[in-house]
Amino acid sequence: MIDPTTALTILGMTAVTAFTRIFGYWAVGYLSVKGRLKGALNAVPGSILIAIVAPAAFSAGPAEAIAGAVTVGLAWRFPMLVAVIGGVGSVVVLRYLIG
Amino acid sequence: MLPMSIGAAPFGLMVGALAAGAGLNHLELLMMSGLVYAGASQFTALGMWTEPLPVLSIIGVTLLVNLRHILMGAALAPHIRHLPTWCRWPFVYIFSDETWAMALRRSAKRPLTAPYVAGVVVPFYLVWQFFSILGLTFGHLVEDPKTYGFDFVFTAIFISLVMGFTKTRTDVPPLIVSTLTALIAHQFLPGYWYIFLGGVAGVITGALIYKEKPFKPGETAK
């Protein structure tokens, strides 16, 4: 059922992915987190998440860019679910209006 | 957690549809989604899935796409050390962009508990398996998830999560630098380099602008 080469590839993918997930967690246990390292780690979540979505939100087209800005504005004031629904709703409307 | 985990559904469907194109069967896709469980790298790998299979190239690119996990695991570490082993190690093995972000967001308000972590991780994991298999079976039916804005659910969730992390003025410059770096890298470099480079640029900015805050009584050290 499972092709041996496919299985080998997937197991290799599994090994390197597990390494990336475990290594950072493990390595930071040997450091004391303060000073600039603390500043760096504080910036990790936002920097990574915004990098993941930046192209889809801000350079995919005008509809996405405006909807991205709407989501930012809503998330500033309202609970997450409101921001998500408002953002998705606005992209649907904007794509219909301006493509 | 269910509304959030449903955000992963369109991407699961797309992975399934890609796997169908690559010629994977149900068992093989379940093995990949179950063991690797990392969307961006699964997209890239399936995009490279040709005969003969470029085994080492696929493994190498998977490593590159997932390098961001090293930073993510490091950021997560101090917030999960107190969790019992049965919960902590599976979470480290299996955190995704969303579950990691939700756990960190929660830990800013109160310490994480094992039930909370399990309640976040399990639905996401199951949604991913279910929808990737669904996509493999009915992939041809969802060729364009853009129609109903499904593809933007993910974007909107991530933007909201980022805003949840943004509390003080010093949180903003890393976000701007990361966004600009990612946009430029996405324009000029292939694949998923933009995620890694944007993340690194934001983190360096965070380190450069960091200033030690004067200790306030009653504030717990992190």
Side-chain angles (χ1 to χ4, degrees):
Chain A
M1 272 299 266
I2 296 183
D3 173 70
T5 318
T6 298
L8 184 71
T9 313
I10 294 173
L11 288 177
M13 291 172 69
T14 305
V16 294
T17 306
F19 164 78
T20 61
R21 285 189 174 124
I22 292 166
F23 182 74
Y25 170 76
W26 172 83
V28 88
Y30 294 88
L31 304 164
S32 63
V33 179
K34 58 185 180 194
R36 294 211 185 277
L37 180 63
K38 193 176 169 197
L41 287 181
N42 280 342
V44 170
S47 302
I48 293 208
L49 293 174
I50 205 73
I52 290 172
V53 295
F58 300 116
S59 64
E64 286 78 6
I66 298 170
V70 168
T71 315
V72 170
L74 288 173
W76 190 259
R77 288 271 143 157
F78 298 101
M80 190 164 158
L81 203 58
V82 176
V84 172
I85 292 170
V88 174
S90 61
V91 87
V92 172
V93 173
L94 287 163
R95 275 175 184 165
Y96 179 74
L97 292 177
I98 57 177
Chain B
M1 291 318 133
L2 201 62
M4 295 307 154
S5 56
I6 286 298
F11 294 88
L13 290 174
M14 284 194 264
V15 156
L18 269 178
L24 264 67
N25 63 38
H26 282 75
L27 224 65
E28 289 164 343
L29 178 61
L30 203 56
M31 183 180 175
M32 183 193 279
S33 286
L35 291 179
V36 182
Y37 184 64
S41 64
Q42 287 182 245
F43 279 112
T44 345
L46 291 168
M48 298 168 69
W49 215 270
T50 47
E51 281 295 329
L53 205 56
V55 180
L56 288 178
S57 306
I58 290 179
I59 294 172
V61 169
T62 303
L63 177 64
L64 285 181
V65 172
N66 289 331
L67 276 180
R68 69 183 187 286
H69 289 146
I70 294 178
L71 292 174
M72 292 163 71
L76 190 62
H79 304 289
I80 60 169
R81 289 218 187 280
H82 62 282
L83 293 175
T85 314
W86 66 264
C87 172
R88 186 158 32 105
W89 282 105
F91 185 38
V92 169
Y93 175 72
I94 219 173
F95 68 76
S96 62
D97 295 326
E98 304 92 334
T99 56
W100 167 83
M102 291 177 78
L104 274 188
R105 200 175 127 106
R106 169 81 166 201
S107 70
K109 288 182 207 132
R110 65 191 73 166
L112 290 172
T113 60
Y116 179 82
V117 170
V120 169
V121 172
V122 173
F124 268 93
Y125 189 78
L126 295 179
V127 161
W128 189 247
Q129 310 311 324
F130 179 75
F131 282 93
S132 56
I133 289 300
L134 204 66
L136 180 57
T137 314
F138 302 105
H140 53 285
L141 299 177
V142 283
E143 261 163 30
D144 194 9
K146 275 194 170 180
T147 320
Y148 303 104
F150 284 142
D151 59 312
F152 203 77
V153 173
F154 202 65
T155 310
I157 286 180
F158 275 37
I159 291 177
S160 311
L161 284 169
V162 171
M163 296 308 285
F165 288 120
T166 313
K167 298 204 188 62
T168 65
R169 217 176 294 167
T170 53
D171 293 331
V172 178
L175 296 179
I176 294 172
V177 172
S178 170
T179 305
L180 295 177
T181 310
L183 289 176
I184 294 167
H186 183 255
Q187 189 72 39
F188 295 107
L189 296 172
Y192 289 88
W193 274 106
Y194 66 91
I195 298 177
F196 184 66
L197 293 177
V200 167
V203 167
I204 291 173
T205 311
L208 290 179
I209 64 169
Y210 182 79
K211 284 202 187 72
E212 206 69 55
K213 266 183 267 177
F215 180 75
K216 280 184 229 147
E219 196 177 77
T220 43
K222 270 194 192 159

